[in-house]
Amino acid sequence: MAAVKAITRIGAGITAIVISTLPASAMPETAKQETIRLIDSIGTSGCEFERNGEWFKAPDAVSHLKRKLNATESRLATAEQFIAHVASVSSVSGKPYHLRCAGATEEAKPWLEKRLATLRGN
């Protein structure tokens, strides 16, 4: 149990360092709304979300990522920053997140980047 707490503190510290290097300012409202649309799209994707070796249903992933957005949005300016620094890696373990859709598993970062492009109409 002590090891898990230590790992959690280390992971949180790493995330804090990464996020603290981003410029401190309010996330522009258009970027925030776009990021929320991106997160919400996970909820309607039918995919499962993996973090730290455990698989979660899409609604749980949405809740988790919205909490992370709320905690970090003052340090983010774009949806791309959210993907790169927050939504694609665990702040606890430093391990990448994954999505499993229709049996195919992919790291969260490229999946989210593709989804963002789709939401933008690209």
Side-chain angles (χ1 to χ4, degrees):
M1 190 64 143
V4 171
K5 287 182 181 179
I7 291 170
T8 300
R9 277 188 239 116
I10 292 167
I14 291 168
T15 297
I17 290 168
V18 169
I19 294 299
S20 69
T21 63
L22 298 173
S25 62
M27 184 179 219
E29 188 60 30
T30 54
K32 183 177 178 180
Q33 291 308 313
E34 181 177 57
T35 304
I36 291 170
R37 280 190 17 246
L38 174 64
I39 295 169
D40 286 342
S41 76
I42 296 170
T44 59
S45 69
C47 299
E48 293 178 289
F49 186 82
E50 182 265 339
R51 60 184 168 96
N52 298 320
E54 189 174 347
W55 288 95
F56 297 88
K57 299 286 184 199
D60 295 324
V62 169
S63 295
H64 175 70
L65 292 174
K66 283 186 176 179
R67 280 192 305 273
K68 286 185 83 171
L69 174 62
N70 288 336
T72 60
E73 68 180 284
S74 67
R75 300 275 186 197
L76 303 170
T78 65
E80 288 87 355
Q81 286 181 345
F82 176 74
I83 292 169
H85 301 293
V86 180
S88 60
V89 66
S90 169
S91 59
V92 173
S93 68
K95 294 180 181 178
Y97 292 151
H98 295 87
L99 283 112
R100 181 169 53 204
C101 309
T105 302
E106 182 175 1
E107 281 195 11
K109 187 175 189 289
W111 190 95
L112 290 166
E113 290 169 340
K114 286 184 260 182
R115 181 57 65 107
L116 180 60
T118 299
L119 290 172
R120 289 176 171 168
N122 299 336

